[in-house]
Amino acid sequence: MKLKKLMAVLLTGCMVFSLAACGGNGNKEKTDGGEKETAQETSQETETDGESEESQEEADSGEAVEIDYATFMVGSHLSAKAEAKVIEEFNEKYEGKIKVNIEELPSDSAYVDKMKTLAASKDLPDVVLGKEGIRELAVKNGQAVDLIPLLEEDAEWKAEIGDGAIEYNKEGDALYSIANAKQVIGYFYNKEMFDAAGIKPAETWDEFMENNEKLLAAGYTPLAMMTGENCWTTNLWLAAMIGTNGQEGNDFMNTYHPDSYENDSVEKGLEMIQKCLQSYTTSDAIGALFANSANNFLQEKTAMIANGTWMTPDFSDPEKAAEGLADKVGVAAYPESGLIEQYEIGYVLCTNEEDEAVQEAALEFLKFKTGKRAQEIFLEDNGALPLTDLVALSDDFKAANPLIAELVEASNSNEWDFNNIDNTAVASTIEAFSSYYPELASGGMTPSDFAAKLTEAAAKTK
């Protein structure tokens, strides 16, 4: 049956964000004529702490409040154009009031490493993307702000985020991150290569493996895979193999921070991944980064790549893709009618213990970064799906972006929904995938041994 699960994210700790205001009470002195203010009271001023005085002086001076933000969506990153446009529009809107100091990091892995280092010293930027355990570290070190009270104070922003995204990342009554996109992830394939091999998108995993053999026989490398960074494209396939393996596998791929990976569904998926790494991918897949994996598909060196809608603009980019590729690309749900459907972990406000001016400025940036306008930009320039129907996919958009429209349509009829491994696994487990995939590919480790290593890695975060 059709399964639509949005799991509640389980975190630890709860920090409540508050804005402190100081006020003075006037004292009255009784006289024969009634009450009058004493001279002391007439001259008494409201007391403020050092931070409040500093904030007021900054506001009075007319200088922009500075906040810090780091991003890996730069250069050739798929989201670089949309990211730059969001920041540009924010700067225009708040010119002279808020200045965003941006640190650009060259890759996802560089970003994660840097943010984890900063979290250890309680020095995270004011707004961060909470991926791969960064959110949890921000909660643990006390920098993360509970966003529920802030959403309740701004009905318009709350409506733009929507209940689905809020509930997805909520723990009990607390919320420490907000997404700016919904993810629907299947896989893209080269229709020309499929036609030459005499195949169509597989309906079962047995047929999928047979298609890989037929593509090889026709002279094509089937899959664009990678084992570097977070093993993104490889682990999307693995998540699909697990998440469509009946109710047991689907439940596992909708479990947040599983204690153990030692089950039949995971081991069956790893067995297929092992075969794919050994026989059905490029020679550079072991240790490859996402950029390598994407380039192999964009330059028609492989027939398939697992990824989300945000990749679609690259198919027609002459600087990235082979000429005419856009006309050759099709999109499909995974075998057994499965799709990754989830909300991103999203952005964390890390301003606890900052002065009031910084808190307010960073909140304005977070609202803009996750709100309706940013969602529109990421849809238009990046193909990322909006959080609610307040940002609609117009008929013109669907006509101009048929792959996105087709994937959204598939999400209305697929049988299995599940999360990806980046959203469910703890950071130490994600690192273990990259560490042990080479040994799995070489045959030096069995799928069951690999699953045991993942379980060991999961325990390290506890």
Side-chain angles (χ1 to χ4, degrees):
M1 66 179 184
K2 173 74 172 172
L3 180 62
K4 293 283 182 184
K5 287 188 176 180
L6 288 181
M7 66 178 183
V9 176
L10 304 176
L11 303 175
T12 58
C14 178
M15 293 295 294
V16 178
F17 174 79
S18 62
L19 298 179
C22 300
N25 293 320
N27 294 319
K28 301 291 183 180
E29 177 182 77
K30 286 189 178 292
T31 66
D32 292 339
E35 294 182 347
K36 69 177 182 180
E37 294 184 357
T38 64
Q40 177 184 3
E41 290 157 349
T42 303
S43 62
Q44 184 178 25
E45 296 181 354
T46 300
E47 294 182 358
T48 60
D49 58 28
E51 288 185 350
S52 296
E53 290 175 352
E54 182 180 343
S55 299
Q56 187 62 46
E57 289 173 2
E58 192 172 48
D60 292 342
S61 70
E63 294 180 0
V65 178
E66 296 190 20
I67 61 173
D68 297 326
Y69 174 67
T71 181
F72 56 90
M73 291 178 274
V74 297
S76 61
H77 193 280
L78 297 177
S79 302
K81 181 180 178 182
E83 173 83 336
K85 191 170 183 179
V86 168
I87 293 171
E88 179 184 0
E89 290 198 11
F90 178 85
N91 286 336
E92 289 176 356
K93 181 177 181 179
Y94 291 92
E95 185 176 4
K97 299 177 181 178
I98 301 173
K99 178 182 178 183
V100 183
N101 297 319
I102 301 172
E103 180 179 7
E104 296 185 351
L105 295 162
S107 67
D108 293 55
S109 57
Y111 179 86
V112 171
D113 290 345
K114 180 67 178 288
M115 294 306 106
K116 288 182 177 179
T117 299
L118 293 176
S121 58
K122 204 175 179 179
D123 198 28
L124 284 166
D126 299 306
V127 177
V128 299
L129 189 62
K131 62 184 294 178
E132 296 185 42
I134 296 170
R135 174 182 60 189
E136 287 80 356
L137 292 174
V139 173
K140 184 177 180 180
N141 75 9
Q143 283 189 265
V145 172
D146 179 11
L147 300 168
I148 291 296
L150 305 178
L151 285 163
E152 294 300 331
E153 292 172 359
D154 192 330
E156 182 178 355
W157 181 37
K158 184 178 180 181
E160 292 173 358
I161 302 303
D163 291 338
I166 292 171
E167 291 301 319
Y168 186 87
N169 280 321
K170 198 174 176 184
E171 181 213 358
D173 294 328
L175 178 72
Y176 293 105
S177 65
I178 290 182
N180 70 343
K182 181 180 179 180
Q183 294 181 334
V184 178
I185 305 174
Y187 72 94
F188 300 105
Y189 65 96
N190 189 304
K191 294 183 289 186
E192 189 175 83
M193 294 181 186
F194 269 45
D195 289 344
I199 61 174
K200 59 181 178 58
E203 295 182 5
T204 68
W205 288 107
D206 286 343
E207 185 182 356
F208 172 77
M209 300 303 276
E210 292 170 3
N211 281 354
N212 289 332
E213 285 292 337
K214 291 177 180 178
L215 284 163
L216 279 181
Y220 302 111
T221 300
L223 302 168
M225 300 176 75
M226 54 179 282
T227 68
E229 296 176 330
N230 61 347
C231 311
W232 175 252
T233 57
T234 300
N235 276 355
L236 291 179
W237 287 112
L238 178 60
M241 292 166 180
I242 299 169
T244 58
N245 190 43
Q247 194 62 54
E248 177 187 290
N250 192 262
D251 286 345
F252 181 83
M253 282 313 305
N254 284 298
T255 299
Y256 187 72
H257 291 180
D259 294 324
S260 174
Y261 287 77
E262 295 167 89
N263 61 67
D264 291 342
S265 296
V266 171
E267 291 178 18
K268 182 179 179 181
L270 287 170
E271 185 177 345
M272 284 190 281
I273 288 293
Q274 183 179 48
K275 177 65 174 176
C276 291
L277 288 171
Q278 290 173 339
S279 304
Y280 301 141
T281 191
T282 55
S283 59
D284 66 349
I286 305 302
L289 309 181
F290 173 78
N292 306 117
S293 182
N295 185 66
N296 284 330
F297 183 78
L298 293 171
Q299 292 301 318
E300 299 189 80
K301 296 177 181 178
T302 63
M304 290 177 274
I305 187 169
N307 208 9
T309 54
W310 52 87
M311 191 178 189
T312 56
D314 281 0
F315 301 149
S316 56
D317 187 340
E319 295 184 1
K320 296 181 179 180
E323 185 177 357
L325 177 67
D327 296 329
K328 303 175 185 179
V329 177
V331 67
Y334 296 105
E336 307 295 348
S337 189
L339 284 171
I340 293 170
E341 294 196 44
Q342 62 188 23
Y343 294 95
E344 295 179 336
I345 289 176
Y347 294 88
V348 184
L349 187 64
C350 298
T351 55
N352 271 330
E353 301 180 14
E354 294 283 357
D355 69 57
E356 186 173 330
V358 171
Q359 291 181 33
E360 293 177 350
L363 176 59
E364 288 303 314
F365 183 65
L366 177 68
K367 287 182 178 181
F368 194 88
K369 197 75 173 62
T370 58
K372 181 180 177 181
R373 179 54 187 151
Q375 292 175 43
E376 290 172 343
I377 292 172
F378 269 80
L379 173 63
E380 294 163 1
D381 293 346
N382 189 229
L385 298 178
L387 298 176
T388 74
D389 57 10
L390 291 177
V391 179
L393 275 65
S394 67
D395 291 339
D396 288 343
F397 178 87
K398 292 176 182 178
N401 300 274
L403 294 176
I404 297 177
E406 189 175 343
L407 197 57
V408 170
E409 181 63 28
S411 74
N412 294 326
S413 59
N414 66 298
E415 183 173 358
W416 299 108
D417 293 342
F418 42 90
N419 292 274
N420 69 7
I421 290 169
D422 260 25
N423 269 25
T424 62
V426 296
S428 54
T429 304
I430 295 172
E431 292 168 1
F433 277 104
S434 182
S435 297
Y436 296 119
Y437 264 145
E439 197 171 348
L440 182 73
S442 70
M445 180 178 289
T446 67
S448 60
D449 290 339
F450 193 101
K453 289 293 187 182
L454 296 178
T455 300
E456 290 177 14
K460 293 179 180 179
T461 303
K462 295 187 180 298

